[in-house]
Amino acid sequence: MDSKKPNTPNSKGAADKKSSTTKAKSTSGAKTQKNKSTTLNSKEFKDTVASGTPEGKTKTQNSPKKIAGNIKKVTSKTSLAKNNTPKKKASAKKETANYELRGVSDIRRSFHKNEEPLYFISATNFNLLGADEWIKGFKFITYIECFDGLHPNVFSPKQEIPHDDFEGIEDINNYLLQHPEVQDYIKTRSVDGRAGKAMFLMFNEKTEELAEKLGLEIMFPKAEMRTFLDNKVNTNRIAERAGVACVPNVLSNVKDYEHMRKVSKHLGNELVIQTPFGDSGHTTFFISNEEEYQKYAEEIEAEDEVKIMKRIRCRGSAIEACVTRHGTIVAPLMTELVGFQELTPYEGGWCGNEIYPNAFTPELRQKAIENTQLFGDQLREEGYKGYFELDFLIDQDNGEIYLGELNPRVTGASSITNHAVFALADAPLFVFHILEWMDIEYELDIEAINKRWSNQENLDGWSQLIVKHTDDTIEYVTESPKSGIWRMFDTGHIQFDRMDTHRRAVENENEAFFLRISKKGDYLYEGADMGILVTRGRMMTDDFKLNNRAKHWIKAIRSQFKSEMVEDKKKPKLTGSLTK
């Protein structure tokens, strides 16, 4: 194969014509281009969501005004809250009389009898693995065929059509919606003229336009609102309004190194700077001196406003939740694997999760749950509904728990959340998310669910590792491991054991489910996703370091990839992760 013609999830089949649109920085598939229509600086925020943040100040007094109002003010468009806020019932008496589903049992039965075409459209089906087992008629439409055609509910177009270089998952999804094979597939599955409903990991206004043309309803709030919420600067102010603590910080523009030191002098010498968009550590910068600052000065100074934080000695954690018309359902707190050089080239980059009983003290678990409910309730006030994830940072010096960031969507941690015992006993979190878009009146005891899900007896131990290409090289893949169940022997070597599409097929800690992303004919570049490894048990020690079992699995799965160095290949524009 001609090495100059890429065949990867990042650049395969790319047309020679470059995109005429403005280039956007991207990590985790999400574009990091700042969105001036939805990003408010401190002065603009003063009269809308919260009072402004003077230079050098970290806390502002909250305002009662809503985020939906900000978006209307900034964009001069109709308030998103009007479109997304669940309709209120006329009275409690009428509400009771109109319930079609009463409780979890009815909800589960309803989805097993579902007749509405439902889809998850993305680069891979990783984030909602197993959804097809819970919901009749649920299908995955993916750009990357991870299962070599063996997954019964995954559809990937066989013929590549010309397209501009992908710069994010949004571009991949827009390509899929314009692909004739995908359009025909959706059309043939329509019911009574209804194309159905779809979820996306990432989408933008163009995705919304393309979906509308196909008759698809997107099961998420508007892209405009999601972009607003995804902005780390805006998230910080929302947290203040919700009463959720953030790491001591200042929100400010940065002119140069001296100016940065001036506005952040009360935060100490060791700082962390985050730009409004981007995740997996790709736009998080650790600064302790001018030399380190200059490495990232161009990116930092290009933003209207950044988040400058005190650097704390912390451990990462993640929690997923769902805003429903009856309240916020909160899943258990998970540990996060962050910045391990064996897995990711990015310092501070997310590279996996663990979930297991008693991972945190009862006090920390309770505080995380309370903060998540507060944040979820605040999101609902602003017009948001559905799935979201919060990253929390646990200060190892004082035991405080701080909000790290918000992801208003399903995430890379969703596979762990939705397959743990607590979810299997009731229903996965994505079921409650989809229910909000099914035009069905239902009754649900949120308090009872949250109580059951917080019970440590309802947790079993699982870990997932996101394996990236960590070298600053471009390599052509000549061999790659299959997706399915792999077995490790006492020698530390592994062997493909059997085909399966679900991690639940893993029987013990000597087995792992591997979801291949980079296949033969693809290109590896720094930060490219190679695959995801999921297994029972832990992959970290109690002091948050990779344990020996994790190191053996990482080395073993990497050894299943064979590749050749390429000297004359341009690095793809699509960088970061396809999974979060």
Side-chain angles (χ1 to χ4, degrees), residues 256-258 260-261 269 287-297:
D256 51 36
Y257 179 74
E258 290 185 1
M260 182 205 70
R261 284 300 180 191
N269 189 55
I287 309 292
S288 59
N289 54 55
E290 186 168 5
E291 181 181 357
E292 291 175 347
Y293 173 84
Q294 293 302 333
K295 293 178 184 178
Y296 316 110

Side-chain angles (χ1 to χ4, degrees), residues 211-472:
E212 185 176 5
K213 287 182 180 179
L214 295 176
L216 284 174
E217 178 186 357
I218 296 179
M219 294 185 287
F220 264 111
K222 295 291 185 182
E224 186 179 21
M225 170 169 276
R226 292 219 313 173
T227 301
F228 182 90
L229 296 174
D230 212 20
N231 182 323
K232 293 179 177 62
V233 172
N234 293 340
T235 298
N236 200 85
R237 292 182 170 118
I238 297 166
E240 286 187 7
R241 297 188 57 215
V244 177
C246 296
V247 176
N249 69 87
V250 60
L251 306 177
S252 175
N253 69 318
V254 174
K255 300 174 183 178
D256 51 36
Y257 179 74
E258 290 185 1
H259 180 244
M260 182 205 70
R261 284 300 180 191
K262 178 182 177 182
V263 300
S264 64
K265 60 183 178 181
H266 58 295
L267 299 176
N269 189 55
E270 301 287 331
L271 301 173
V272 180
I273 298 180
Q274 285 186 319
T275 54
F277 296 99
D279 50 16
S280 292
H282 203 203
T283 53
T284 298
F285 311 118
F286 298 87
I287 309 292
S288 59
N289 54 55
E290 186 168 5
E291 181 181 357
E292 291 175 347
Y293 173 84
Q294 293 302 333
K295 293 178 184 178
Y296 316 110
E298 184 177 354
E299 293 175 75
I300 294 170
E301 294 169 14
E303 300 291 346
D304 291 335
E305 198 170 27
V306 297
K307 182 178 179 180
I308 308 172
M309 295 175 285
K310 175 183 178 180
R311 187 170 183 177
I312 63 174
R313 193 172 63 89
C314 66
R315 290 176 179 170
S317 62
I319 196 166
E320 296 197 312
C322 182
V323 177
T324 77
R325 68 196 69 177
H326 298 295
T328 302
I329 302 174
V330 182
L333 189 64
M334 299 174 280
T335 65
E336 279 199 320
L337 283 74
V338 177
F340 290 116
Q341 295 179 355
E342 294 89 340
L343 294 168
T344 177
Y346 307 123
E347 183 181 7
W350 168 79
C351 51
N353 296 91
E354 297 176 313
I355 189 168
Y356 60 95
N358 301 308
F360 305 91
T361 65
E363 293 77 16
L364 276 176
R365 291 198 304 266
Q366 186 59 33
K367 186 65 175 177
I369 290 171
E370 290 173 358
N371 283 346
T372 305
Q373 287 176 323
L374 286 171
F375 203 97
D377 293 345
Q378 184 67 38
L379 288 177
R380 187 172 184 272
E381 264 195 66
E382 313 302 345
Y384 185 86
K385 66 177 181 179
Y387 214 110
F388 71 96
E389 183 262 353
L390 298 176
D391 289 343
F392 284 109
L393 304 175
I394 302 170
D395 193 320
Q396 295 303 288
D397 293 324
N398 61 20
E400 291 293 326
I401 184 168
Y402 299 109
L403 177 67
E405 67 178 52
L406 159 71
N407 288 302
R409 50 186 168 84
V410 294
T411 71
S414 299
S415 177
I416 288 285
T417 295
N418 289 308
H419 294 135
V421 166
F422 67 87
L424 301 180
D426 282 317
L429 202 58
F430 60 72
V431 164
F432 299 109
H433 169 92
I434 294 173
L435 185 58
E436 287 295 311
W437 272 267
M438 294 303 288
D439 303 319
I440 298 174
E441 293 298 333
Y442 69 94
E443 181 181 38
L444 192 62
D445 190 338
I446 300 292
E447 185 178 350
I449 291 177
N450 285 338
K451 185 176 180 180
R452 287 196 298 272
W453 286 20
S454 66
N455 187 339
Q456 296 302 287
E457 293 181 1
N458 291 328
L459 289 182
D460 53 345
W462 288 91
S463 298
Q464 65 177 16
L465 304 176
I466 313 302
V467 184
K468 294 180 180 292
H469 183 64
T470 57
D471 295 332
D472 188 11

Side-chain angles (χ1 to χ4, degrees), residues 137-192:
F138 193 99
K139 303 291 183 181
F140 301 99
I141 298 177
T142 66
Y143 179 68
I144 303 170
E145 176 48 272
C146 301
F147 293 95
D148 300 318
L150 298 177
H151 194 303
N153 293 313
V154 170
F155 177 84
S156 295
K158 293 179 172 59
Q159 183 68 39
E160 187 84 10
I161 63 173
H163 59 83
D164 292 329
D165 290 345
F166 296 143
E167 297 185 20
I169 294 179
E170 298 94 332
D171 293 339
I172 293 174
N173 290 336
N174 294 341
Y175 164 84
L176 288 170
L177 291 178
Q178 295 175 92
H179 199 293
E181 292 181 41
V182 173
Q183 293 175 349
D184 289 344
Y185 181 69
I186 292 172
K187 185 176 181 180
T188 58
R189 295 193 70 250
S190 63
V191 176
D192 297 331

Side-chain angles (χ1 to χ4, degrees), residues 64-75:
K65 297 188 179 181
K66 303 290 186 287
I67 292 173
N70 299 330
I71 300 175
K72 183 175 181 180
K73 177 186 176 188
V74 178
T75 64

